[in-house]
Amino acid sequence: AAPSLASTSMKSKEKEKAGHVSKTETEWKKTLTPEQFRVLRDKGTETAFTGAYWNNHENGIYHCAACGLTLYSSKTKFESGTGWPSFWAPIDPTHVKIGKDESLGMERDEVACARCGGHLGHVFDDGPAPTHLRYCMNSVSMKFEKSK
């Protein structure tokens, strides 16, 4: 199992619960940009090396762009060379859900937000120690909160 990191952006010591957010397609279209909707709701993928965070080296926390759930810490971000932001572990394993993705004629493990079900990216088993996992995320699926 992937190690968990405490969120530095949370005010209390209480663990953030994923909970559940449910909206209609129309409601999502009102709150998300067209590109966010394409990736988060229609399971699209942004073009490599074009997202806001693939080359971000600032310290902070990455949240789901749709519902705000904490997803990843810059402490687990690494240079994968893929053109997408990559992490070796989520901030809390209960904040992401892994499912099967058989689109594009291949089988991959999809990563979705546990709170709203938004498509974040995919996880592969070619990452660095200690988990040897690479959570390859779409920048547009996340919002970055810089550490203060």
Side-chain angles (χ1 to χ4, degrees), residues 81-96:
T82 62
W84 289 282
S86 298
F87 305 85
W88 51 261
I91 210 158
D92 184 322
T94 66
H95 290 198
V96 296

Side-chain angles (χ1 to χ4, degrees), residues 97-146:
K97 290 195 185 247
I98 310 301
K100 192 173 282 193
D101 177 359
E102 296 176 333
S103 65
L104 306 176
M106 54 185 140
E107 190 174 304
R108 298 174 291 172
D109 291 326
E110 178 194 10
V111 181
C113 174
R115 180 182 287 163
C116 70
H119 174 74
L120 303 171
H122 295 88
V123 62
F124 303 94
D125 62 3
D126 59 1
T131 65
H132 301 286
L133 296 174
R134 172 173 52 96
Y135 289 83
C136 190
M137 303 293 98
N138 290 286
S139 291
V140 75
S141 296
M142 301 184 295
K143 287 191 178 168
F144 180 70
E145 177 187 358
K146 187 176 175 178

Side-chain angles (χ1 to χ4, degrees), residues 35 38 45-54 82-85 139-140:
E35 180 68 356
R38 185 183 73 79
T45 300
E46 67 191 3
T47 304
F49 301 102
T50 64
Y53 305 130
W54 75 271
T82 62
W84 289 282
S139 291
V140 75

Side-chain angles (χ1 to χ4, degrees), residues 15-45:
K15 183 177 171 183
E16 181 184 20
K17 302 258 191 280
H20 184 72
V21 171
S22 182
K23 294 183 180 183
T24 66
E25 187 171 314
T26 302
E27 289 171 322
W28 282 122
K29 283 184 176 178
K30 286 179 183 174
T31 59
L32 300 172
T33 68
E35 180 68 356
Q36 286 174 325
F37 185 88
R38 185 183 73 79
V39 174
L40 284 159
R41 308 315 307 170
D42 287 340
K43 300 184 179 189
T45 300

